Every structure is written in structure tokens, then in C-alpha cells.
Amino acid sequence: LNSYRDRGYRYIKKNKVLQLGPPMLRKSKNLNDALNELLSNRLIDVFDYNTTVVIDLYPGAPYDRIIFERDMNLFNINQNGPV
């Protein structure tokens, strides 16, 4: 996930990590275990948006609609904000 953060993303689609992430995280159980560890350490936040699971790489920052829209457009998701 650091590679996404390093490239300026804040919100990423969980499915994109499954598709494009490191081979060891391309199995749902492995990714879920990793995300749960990061969640428990408050390094990320995860929320549902419509039928999509979105990972917030900056959980301490207030929600930013403009960045959300930018990032979701890059990942081809309709955007109105988290549910």
C-alpha cells in the first residue's frame, strides 16, 4: 500500500490491490489478514462505498471529497463519497 501512498493516492479500491498488488496479497484471505493488521494499528481505514470496498491510506485526515473523486475516477468508480 505504500507504493500507492508514495504515488499520491489516498483512496484505493480493495479489488485493485487484489488484482495488481504483490503476489502474496492476491488471495483474499491474505489481503484481509494484512488489512486487519493495518486497521488494528490505525494505519489505514476501510469503508464500503456502494458495492466497493475502499481503503483510506490516511485515516487520521478528514474526508476529502475532491481527492476521493480524483482517486475513484482513476479506479473507475462512480463517486459521491463514503456511505
Side-chain angles (χ1 to χ4, degrees):
L1 298 176
N2 280 334
S3 65
Y4 288 105
R5 188 180 289 131
D6 292 343
R7 288 182 280 162
Y9 295 110
R10 174 172 176 185
Y11 302 101
I12 58 173
K13 210 174 135 177
K14 178 182 171 187
N15 194 46
K16 287 297 179 186
V17 178
L18 281 169
Q19 293 171 352
L20 304 173
M24 65 184 348
L25 295 180
R26 290 189 188 172
K27 293 191 182 210
S28 190
K29 182 192 179 321
N30 293 346
L31 179 57
N32 287 338
D33 290 346
L35 292 177
N36 285 332
E37 180 69 23
L38 293 170
L39 275 165
S40 70
N41 290 308
R42 297 181 181 169
L43 298 173
I44 63 166
D45 194 13
V46 176
F47 60 89
D48 291 326
Y49 173 72
N50 295 334
T51 59
T52 301
V53 177
V54 177
I55 302 166
D56 182 350
L57 300 177
Y58 293 93
Y63 171 73
D64 188 319
R65 181 183 58 81
I66 293 170
I67 292 175
F68 181 81
E69 290 175 3
R70 179 204 66 189
D71 291 354
M72 294 302 101
N73 279 332
L74 294 172
F75 292 114
N76 299 319
I77 302 174
N78 294 328
Q79 70 280 5
N80 289 322
V83 175

